[in-house]
Amino acid sequence: MNLKDIHSVYFIGIGGIGMSALARYFDFIGKPVAGYDKTPTPITDGLQEKGIMVHFEDDITSVPDTFKQPGTLVVYTPAVPASHGELNFYKANGFEIKKRSEVLGIITKDSYCLAVAGTHGKTTTSCILAHLLKECGLPFTAFLGGVSEDFNSNFVLEGTEYSVVEADEFDRSFLRLFPTVACITSMDADHLDIYGTHEELLQSFRDFAGKIKPGGKLFVRKGLPMEGITFGIEDGSDFCIEHIDIEHGTYVFDLVTPSEVLKQVRFGKPGRHNLLNGLAAFAMAVQTGCPPHRLAEALATFKGVQRRFSYQIKEKDFVFIDDYAHHPAEIDAVHQAIREMHPGEKVTAIFQPHLFSRTKDFADDFAQSLSQFDEIILLEIYPAREEPMEGITSAWLLQKINNPNKKLIPKAELIKEVSNCKTGVLVALGAGDIGLEVPKIKKELAYAG
């Protein structure tokens, strides 16, 4: 596929975080862009504000004629069902149809590609990496899996010599990439609806490592069953964080590299998992030739990623945090960060499970992770791309949580519930539409305060 031969680009599932970044890219380079998605969201609102046409009915008559002409590239996400009417129209009429990951691979193939993979941490790490390259003045393009608070976007175009991409393991998408420098942050069991077994997932990460260009480098968190340059915390890794202190909610530490020790480095995102994300981004950025001391300074100015341990309210006597955590390991990481940064406070967690299959596969682990909080408010399972599974419900999960302070409520009652909640720290967790409830919660609690 030659990008020069493409006259227009049509996206099926344009509201996805990765899809919307690609849509912004093609719009930026001057190609007509339009798309379909199931429901309006802040992401689709943002695309429409840029003049990109988006509609919400699976109806080929809603597609503008420009996007039914030869030379239209059709990009779709694996989350779209095979029965989708518009997708089948394009298939039946011989259009060039590509998965999002294929297009991302084509765009970035000829660049110095920095690809971040892992079942957790890849979005934050790739956003930190983009921030570091920006601070060093490098010409780069970034396709991010979340909205960076430093750029207020999931897409950045500062040039084309370098690219930063989030390498997504879902549907083996990352095997379409051609990294120069790659990183693997974690390889916990997930997406078993796709892979079947944890071993198959691990094999896909090994296959991803095999996609690195000759002479390229692989960074892996120490302890993972992969060969590569290691990074870690106080564990003798090749890139290692040591002597950690906390000053006014900010980490201060020494950063040990294979060639030097950088003293009194600062990083403001809570949680040891975020320290690891920052370290991984730093190690990858060093490979571009940026001065390590400049990168260390830039770590201190990273603002964050929307829905990744995002403080919505931060007062002396009350804190409200929003986080995308939808896997037990991610919930554990958020819990650790809260207890470290807000010791002694009562912590109430609102959790919306994401996918029936994930809830089924990790029910006992979810129950154990959630039981650590002082109080748990559980919402119904967000189905996303799935149909219900018999017996897999939030009520079933609630029974497994070993904590007397737990309840299951309809989402419609959430605002009322939190307005009556007496707690020091409130945290909203989940990858579904709970994110749309966060501004409402913030407004209610700010008003009540």
Side-chain angles (χ1 to χ4, degrees), residues 10 13 20 116 132 147 170 195 224-225 244 253 290 312 324 423 449:
Y10 187 74
S20 63
V116 182
L132 297 183
V147 177
F170 175 73
Y195 288 98
L224 294 180
I244 302 169
F253 52 89
C290 289
Q312 301 296 308
Y324 190 72
T423 192

Side-chain angles (χ1 to χ4, degrees), residues 136-422:
C136 280
L138 292 186
F140 74 98
T141 305
F143 298 90
L144 307 172
V147 177
S148 163
E149 293 177 357
D150 293 272
F151 300 101
N152 196 31
S153 181
N154 58 338
F155 170 66
V156 186
L157 205 160
E158 298 278 334
T160 57
E161 185 176 339
Y162 298 86
S163 60
V164 175
V165 298
E166 183 169 323
D168 189 2
E169 75 281 1
F170 175 73
D171 197 41
R172 298 176 172 84
S173 292
F174 57 2
L175 300 184
R176 304 284 189 174
L177 300 173
F178 305 92
T180 311
V181 175
C183 168
I184 298 175
T185 63
S186 51
M187 299 191 300
D188 293 303
D190 199 5
H191 303 301
L192 298 185
D193 55 323
I194 299 293
Y195 288 98
T197 66
H198 191 194
E199 176 52 39
E200 281 296 310
L201 175 68
L202 295 177
Q203 182 57 48
S204 76
F205 278 98
R206 290 190 282 268
D207 293 341
F208 168 70
K211 303 288 289 186
I212 296 173
K213 294 173 184 175
K217 292 183 179 178
L218 174 66
F219 291 85
V220 297
R221 181 170 58 80
K222 189 165 185 177
L224 294 180
M226 294 282 286
E227 291 294 322
I229 303 167
T230 57
F231 63 94
I233 296 175
E234 296 175 337
D235 59 4
S237 298
D238 298 316
F239 286 80
C240 194
I241 286 174
E242 295 182 349
H243 307 125
I244 302 169
D245 286 321
I246 298 175
E247 296 179 4
H248 309 294
T250 295
Y251 288 116
V252 183
F253 52 89
D254 293 344
L255 201 165
V256 181
T257 80
S259 59
E260 62 185 310
V261 178
L262 300 161
K263 298 278 191 179
Q264 294 289 295
V265 179
R266 293 179 174 270
F267 187 69
K269 295 304 294 180
R272 298 297 174 104
H273 63 301
N274 279 322
L275 267 183
L276 284 167
N277 295 336
L279 179 60
F282 171 91
M284 294 178 77
V286 166
Q287 308 313 305
T288 68
C290 289
H293 73 276
R294 181 70 193 93
L295 294 172
E297 291 170 358
L299 278 175
T301 59
F302 174 67
K303 293 179 182 177
V305 187
Q306 288 182 13
R307 302 220 61 228
R308 269 51 171 203
F309 211 95
S310 299
Y311 282 105
Q312 301 296 308
I313 299 174
K314 193 175 184 182
E315 306 290 349
K316 185 177 180 180
D317 56 352
F318 177 72
V319 168
F320 174 38
I321 298 163
D322 176 32
D323 196 277
Y324 190 72
H326 57 284
H327 185 282
E330 295 167 349
I331 295 172
D332 287 341
V334 171
H335 179 264
Q336 179 274 324
I338 292 174
R339 296 298 188 192
E340 184 173 54
M341 292 296 176
H342 305 283
E345 295 288 348
K346 178 184 176 183
V347 184
T348 300
I350 306 164
F351 179 56
Q352 181 190 51
H354 184 261
L355 297 177
F356 296 101
S357 59
R358 184 181 282 120
T359 305
K360 173 177 174 287
D361 290 337
F362 303 108
D364 291 340
D365 295 324
F366 275 124
Q368 185 173 345
S369 296
L370 292 168
S371 295
Q372 301 173 92
F373 295 95
D374 299 304
E375 186 175 29
I376 305 102
I377 300 169
L378 195 61
L379 302 180
E380 294 294 348
I381 297 170
Y382 183 77
R385 58 186 179 269
E386 293 184 338
E387 296 298 323
M389 293 182 176
E390 186 175 353
I392 308 303
T393 64
S394 286
W396 170 72
L397 176 60
L398 188 75
Q399 291 178 339
K400 293 176 173 286
I401 297 173
N402 183 23
N403 188 320
N405 302 312
K406 60 181 180 180
K407 62 174 68 175
L408 171 62
I409 66 167
K411 191 171 62 175
E413 295 180 11
L414 181 56
I415 301 301
K416 180 182 177 183
E417 183 68 36
V418 298
S419 67
N420 295 321
C421 183
K422 305 299 182 187

Side-chain angles (χ1 to χ4, degrees), residues 6-11 26-27 30-34 52-53 66-67:
I6 296 168
H7 299 303
S8 59
V9 190
Y10 187 74
F11 289 84
F26 282 109
D27 178 68
K31 305 288 185 182
V33 174
I52 295 172
M53 294 175 283
T66 301
F67 302 93

